[in-house]
């Protein structure tokens, strides 16, 4: 117990210390929200990665999808690395950084207003973020409950309160820079933790080959011998749906795209692309690979009784105190880094894109900073309260909404944002269509799920992951089709926006030879 307590106390002390150290970097809105657009490659890459992977993935998704797909669930982590990290940086990184600075945009809703010339789009995007971000934020605490109970035997609400208090303290003090620097530290903890845990768990059954042999013997009512060790698992179609949702989804999430706003230089983008991809391979690949061995640690009856969230904690319950301490730090680091990113995005969006435009008089920098800090605390408190209520008395409404929040936001924003960076023909009506379609589809799915009427949908659309993918892909298609059918945007204004990509810049000779 002493070892575990020392690990946690040291980790929390360093986290708070970073917040105090970085407080001078958060003196204005630009510094607080974007770090002055001067964040280096390692901080940007780790900030992206730690915002991507939280306790929800380590405890919830890894256990659930590892149970469903066996060792093939590792493809989800690799998909996250290739599509969700590498391609996201390659396709969106540079163009996001250049155009958002040219437009003077600090948030995703602000980008929609300035790119498409519509204050209504800005307010609608802010509302979507506000509605779907809170349950997503609350879900981060859930992965901690069983692990902290196993490791310390303390009440869940104590764990939630400590995590909320520490996160609020360092984010309120230091804003984006403190969050990014803490993400680097938290990311290192996650990398070390997942490697140690994977080796420790495999060693329980005699190593990798022995564990695979045991998995090859696992069966269920629908899956025969060897099904859980086959290359694409027992349900390849469902597997592809999960890969696309958890990978392509990052392209439309405001807390992920916001990392590109703050990048310092071209070199930072190149380095950040490589670092974030390697981080995703190790952390996401390791998590889902680990979850793939769940069936040799629990029976179907035990999972039915205790739930899929119990799979990973059961794997770890027999580990040494040092390993358990590392796991707790890993999950705490993953949760706090994602939580800080979400609440910073939520508070800045609500302040800059919703409250400020409604004020008759222009808000001062000091007023905006104060309001953002107030909303930071508000979002952390309300999400913690929801998490505690759901833990004490499970509420289907909240747990179901968590599953569609990712798909709803990505479905609404991915097409309009990506095509807005590349395509001059994209129009305002097309963006509205993407927003409305995604909200309608995901809310309809949610209502049908609550009323136990999912049977009215085609079988393929009875999974929230597939509905989220449908919203994202259809959103892209809607933007293209409706843009072609509606009036072209003002040519002069669009050309001015895209002129940022043609601006001449000079570089040192070590980067480019003279012609």
């Amino acid at each position: 117990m002493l070892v575990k307590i020392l690990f946690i106390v040291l980790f929390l002390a360093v986290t708070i210390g970073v917040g105090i150290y970085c407080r001078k970097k958060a003196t204005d809105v630009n510094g607080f929200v974007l770090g002055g657009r001067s964040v280096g490659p390692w901080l940007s890459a780790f900030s992206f990665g730690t915002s991507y992977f939280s306790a929800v993935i380590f405890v919830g998704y890894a256990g659930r999808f590892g149970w469903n797909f066996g060792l093939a669930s590792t493809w989800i982590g690799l998909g996250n690395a290739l599509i969700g990290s590498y391609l996201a940086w390659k396709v969106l990184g540079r163009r996001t950084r250049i155009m958002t600075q040219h437009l003077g945009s600090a948030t995703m809703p602000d980008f929609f207003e300035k790119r498409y010339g519509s204050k209504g789009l800005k307010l609608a995007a802010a509302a979507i973020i506000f509605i779907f971000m809170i349950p997503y934020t609350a879900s981060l605490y859930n992965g901690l409950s069983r692990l902290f109970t196993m490791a310390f035997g303390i009440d869940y609400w104590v764990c939630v309160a400590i995590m909320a208090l520490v996160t609020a303290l360092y984010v309120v003090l230091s804003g984006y820079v403190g969050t990014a620097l803490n993400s680097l530290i938290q990311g290192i903890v996650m990398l070390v933790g997942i490697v140690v845990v994977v080796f420790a768990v495999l060693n329980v059954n005699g190593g990798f080959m022995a564990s695979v042999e045991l998995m090859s013997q696992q069966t269920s009512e629908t899956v025969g011998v060897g099904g859980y060790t086959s290359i694409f698992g027992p349900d390849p179609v469902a597997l592809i749906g999960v890969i696309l949702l958890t990978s392509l989804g990052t392209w439309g999430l405001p807390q992920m795209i916001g990392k590109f706003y703050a990048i310092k230089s071209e070199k930072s983008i190149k380095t950040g692309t490589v670092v974030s991809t390697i981080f995703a391979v190790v952390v996401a690949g390791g998590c889902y690979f680990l979850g793939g061995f769940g069936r040799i640690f629990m029976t179907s009856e035990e999972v039915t009784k205790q739930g899929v969230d119990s799979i990973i904690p059961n794997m770890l319950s027999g580990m040494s105190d040092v390993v358990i301490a590392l796991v707790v730090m890993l999950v705490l680091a993953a949760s706090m880094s994602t939580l800080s990113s979400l609440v910073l995005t939520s508070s800045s969006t609500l302040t800059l894109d919703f409250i400020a435009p409604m004020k008759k008089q222009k808000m001062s920098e000091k007023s905006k900073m104060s309001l953002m800090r107030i909303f930071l605390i508000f979002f952390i408190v309300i999400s913690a309260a929801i998490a505690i209520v759901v833990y004490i008395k499970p509420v289907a409404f909240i747990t179901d909404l968590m599953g569609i929040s990712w798909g709803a936001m990505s479905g609404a924003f991915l097409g309009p944002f990506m095509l807005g960076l590349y395509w001059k023909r994209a129009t305002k009506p097309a963006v509205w269509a993407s927003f409305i379609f995604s909200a309608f589809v995901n809310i309809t799915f949610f209502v049908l799920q609550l009323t136990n009427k999912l049977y009215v949908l085609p079988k393929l659309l009875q999974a929230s992951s597939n509905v989220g993918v449908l919203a994202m892909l259809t959103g892209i298609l809607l933007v293209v089709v409706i843009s072609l059918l509606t009036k072209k945007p003002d040519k002069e204004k669009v050309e001015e926006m895209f002129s940022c990509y043609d601006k001449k810049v000079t570089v040192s000779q070590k980067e480019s030879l003279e012609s």
Side-chain angles (χ1 to χ4, degrees), residues 152-191:
F152 299 103
I154 61 174
D155 290 338
Y156 175 56
W157 73 267
V158 177
C159 161
V160 170
I162 293 172
M163 177 178 161
L165 179 63
V166 173
T167 305
L169 187 58
Y170 80 78
V171 180
V172 167
L173 280 174
S174 59
Y176 187 87
V177 174
T179 299
L181 186 52
N182 264 320
S183 293
L184 176 62
I185 298 168
Q186 291 159 351
I188 293 170
V189 171
M190 291 168 68
L191 286 171

